[in-house]
Amino acid sequence: MRIVAALGGNALIRRGQPLSVQTQRDNLVAAAQALAPLARTHELLITHGNGPQVGLLALQAAAYAGQSGGEATPLDVLGAESEGMVGYLIEQALANLLPERRFATLLTQVEVDSADPAFAHPSKPIGPLYSEAELAALVRPAHWQFGRDGERWRRLVASPRPLQVLELPVIRLLLEQGVSVICGGGGGIPVLRRDGVVHGVEAVIDKDHASGLLARQLGADLLLLLTDVPGVAPDFRAAEPQWLHRTTPAALRELALPAGSMGPKVQACIEFVEAGGPRAAIGRLEDATALVSGSAGTQLSKLRPAPR
Ligand code: ADP
Ligand code: MG
């Protein structure tokens, strides 16, 4: 099978953990163990989130603005940095487990539309959470925007829809040669094409939407969104949520899901199967193998299979 698997933020940093390289390395040992059986037997493409990482890189760059002539490093460049950094850590963790397999981390440019309404409405939270006082004391470029996250504040950036992956032919070549590819990290590097010329743009693409686009454009057999819950639950806030096992786009459309977390995952899965993708699944990273075999998680296909 050709599988596009998206690693959630939890694979790298859990809530409350420090954003250190060592933490990410430690967490990725478990992530690599979950992914290794897939890399061993399937054509595997791995994407990952970058919200905390790209936010930290932006703060680091802002702290050195004096040395860079006052320039705020743009988000496309920071996105590329985060893709290289996280991709490197994932690749190393996997290659240590599977020395006989070949891996490649690929910087991925993803075209977006300059007219995307998301540019006027920054909605994607990146970086750390701040109290009112911390935000007031923060040394930051004037154009950064912030929004509330509960009691605290977080930087918000534009998150336009991914339209086209520029490296698609290279990704295809690698997969066909048996190379497991780590790409589209942090949703990929957002770029615009104007008069045939490609240039980066200030945004962070949603990694679930980018994964869905990759799965569609590569004709994947399975879109796998790996996160920290067993699947999608209509009554998610209940004491014992009822996780959906086999479901359809029509049933999922009925649910009201948060835009910042489960919403884009479900939307990406719906778009994949409605575009002809055979199957999409959402569930826990540690259940990766069972998600592939269809025995765990929320499994989505266009039509619900008839009960046997
Ligand atoms: P990731 O980093 O894997 O993308 P997110 O935090 O963006 O993770 O999305 C997963 C989270 O979505 C879960 O941890 C859960 O708290 C939240 N969530 C919100 N609504 C639901 C729902 N109806 N069913 C399952 N999870 C939900
Ligand atoms: Mg998410």
Side-chain angles (χ1 to χ4, degrees), residues 8-9 207 226-229 231-233 236 243 257-258 260-262 265:
K207 70 113 174 34
L226 301 168
T227 183
D228 59 352
V229 282
V232 185
F236 174 64
W243 307 105
L257 297 167
S261 57
M262 199 41 80
K265 286 187 212 309

Side-chain angles (χ1 to χ4, degrees), residues 36-270:
L38 278 52
R40 210 176 270 129
T41 41
H42 298 285
E43 277 187 14
L44 181 64
L45 181 149
I46 300 167
T47 68
H48 58 84
N50 77 341
Q53 291 81 7
V54 79
L56 181 66
L57 289 170
L59 289 169
Q60 290 172 346
Y64 283 87
Q67 275 73 25
S68 55
E71 181 203 57
T73 309
L75 280 168
D76 59 313
V77 172
L78 297 170
E81 287 181 27
S82 76
E83 237 192 324
M85 173 180 69
V86 178
Y88 156 65
L89 294 173
I90 295 174
E91 179 175 333
Q92 194 173 66
L94 270 168
N96 279 336
L97 286 181
L98 298 174
E100 73 284 4
R101 296 281 311 171
R102 288 178 295 171
F103 297 91
T105 300
L106 195 68
L107 291 179
T108 317
Q109 299 174 79
V110 178
E111 206 174 324
V112 299
D113 182 358
S114 61
D116 192 310
F119 283 109
H121 304 282
S123 65
K124 163 116 190 132
I126 64 167
L129 289 150
Y130 301 97
S131 69
E132 200 94 30
E134 285 165 341
L135 185 61
L138 184 68
V139 178
R140 56 178 153 115
H143 70 276
W144 284 15
Q145 296 191 39
F146 290 80
R148 274 201 178 279
D149 188 324
E151 291 288 282
R152 296 196 283 172
W153 294 83
R154 209 167 171 205
R155 184 173 170 203
L156 294 178
V157 300
S159 192
R161 277 308 200 102
L163 300 178
Q164 179 68 38
V165 178
L166 301 196
E167 287 77 7
L168 204 67
V170 184
I171 297 171
R172 229 182 240 127
L173 273 177
L174 289 166
L175 290 174
E176 282 164 3
Q177 294 303 312
V179 180
S180 298
V181 184
I182 299 144
C183 70
I189 303 159
V191 298
L192 292 175
R193 192 190 295 271
R194 201 171 289 140
D195 302 326
V197 179
V198 172
H199 58 92
V201 64
E202 187 80 351
V204 175
I205 298 171
D206 179 83
K207 70 113 174 34
D208 296 316
H209 285 315
S211 306
L213 177 67
L214 278 161
R216 286 200 303 273
Q217 296 198 324
L218 290 165
D221 300 293
L222 174 63
L223 170 63
L224 194 58
L225 302 181
L226 301 168
T227 183
D228 59 352
V229 282
V232 185
D235 57 346
F236 174 64
R237 296 277 161 219
E240 285 183 29
Q242 301 295 305
W243 307 105
L244 296 174
H245 185 36
R246 294 189 198 287
T247 187
T248 60
L252 285 177
R253 279 219 178 80
E254 299 292 309
L255 306 181
L257 297 167
S261 57
M262 199 41 80
K265 286 187 212 309
V266 164
Q267 207 179 336
C269 289
I270 290 175

